[in-house]
Amino acid sequence: MKINSIEEYNGRIKRVLVSESDIKREVKKAGELINSIYDGTPILLVSILKGAFVFLADILREVTVPCELDFMEAKSYFDGTNSSGTVSITKDLKHNISDYHVVIIEDIIDTGRTLSEVIKLLKARNPKSFKVITLLDKPDRRVVELSADYSLFTIPDYFVVGYGLDCGEYYRNLPYIAEYGE
């Protein structure tokens, strides 16, 4: 996908679904939840790249318990707006997670295939505990049984961009979540 002008770029945004102020408010609540659950116990925050890095950065600023970070990259969308159905782990964690309370920070749970595969992989490594926090939950698209421990927003079945989520690597820089359309 190649965008050739700012008009084309802006023209593909149908509407804002979640405002920047709503995101900030809910991120603060999610950080408070993490702090209350772990109450001073060190944790490992795991971001699924690339989409969740913006969410992770904002969550990190709200977390007051001792924490470390690690990253995985798992893909099922590649360059389109539909899941390929195939999950590829392209970057794995550096930490031995058996010594950690692990909190996955995810951008969106859509079909659930990608996160389901990541969860299986990580749970087999025997972390002390395991939680999933997702920015967006899209239950109408779920094809595997999966739910997060905490979801900030539930959205309808729209392809969305912004706040780290992309279409063909564009739109990650938007400070809100928007419906994308061609």
Side-chain angles (χ1 to χ4, degrees):
M1 176 176 120
K2 178 82 170 130
I3 293 181
N4 298 306
S5 69
I6 191 69
E7 292 80 15
E8 182 182 0
Y9 181 81
N10 291 332
R12 293 185 181 188
I13 300 296
K14 286 186 171 182
R15 62 187 160 145
V16 173
L17 295 175
V18 183
S19 72
E20 182 178 8
S21 60
D22 287 345
I23 292 170
K24 286 180 179 180
R25 182 189 69 242
E26 294 304 314
V27 164
K28 184 169 184 54
K29 288 181 189 176
E32 290 168 354
L33 175 67
I34 291 169
N35 295 332
S36 71
I37 290 171
Y38 296 101
D39 192 26
T41 303
I43 61 173
L44 177 66
L45 296 175
V46 174
S47 175
I48 308 301
L49 294 173
K50 295 179 187 174
F53 80 98
V54 174
F55 182 35
L56 172 71
D58 286 347
I59 285 281
L60 183 62
R61 286 188 278 269
E62 299 297 333
V63 169
T64 58
V65 298
C67 64
E68 295 180 48
L69 301 176
D70 209 341
F71 299 90
M72 288 186 83
E73 188 169 19
K75 293 185 176 186
S76 66
Y77 274 83
F78 305 96
D79 288 327
T81 60
N82 292 307
S83 175
S84 67
T86 302
V87 176
S88 175
I89 305 293
T90 57
K91 180 187 180 329
D92 205 346
L93 300 177
K94 293 185 178 181
H95 285 78
N96 171 358
I97 66 170
S98 64
D99 295 333
Y100 292 92
H101 297 279
V102 173
V103 181
I104 289 185
I105 304 298
E106 179 63 303
D107 57 353
I108 187 167
I109 303 176
D110 191 335
T111 64
R113 286 185 188 115
T114 303
L115 188 56
S116 179
E117 291 300 314
V118 167
I119 288 170
K120 281 185 220 171
L121 178 69
L122 295 183
K123 282 189 172 180
R125 297 177 185 177
N126 300 312
K128 289 182 176 180
S129 69
F130 194 87
K131 299 250 184 256
V132 175
I133 296 177
T134 188
L135 173 67
L136 302 172
D137 188 12
K138 198 188 306 183
D140 292 345
R141 294 259 306 149
R142 202 82 79 244
V143 296
V144 297
E145 192 169 317
L146 176 69
S147 60
D149 295 290
Y150 186 74
S151 300
L152 278 66
F153 302 97
T154 299
I155 62 168
D157 184 14
Y158 300 131
F159 189 85
V160 293
V161 295
Y163 197 70
L165 293 113
D166 74 300
C167 183
E169 294 297 324
Y170 291 103
Y171 301 101
R172 292 186 194 279
N173 57 315
L174 299 176
Y176 50 81
I177 305 296
E179 180 183 1
Y180 174 85
E182 294 197 33

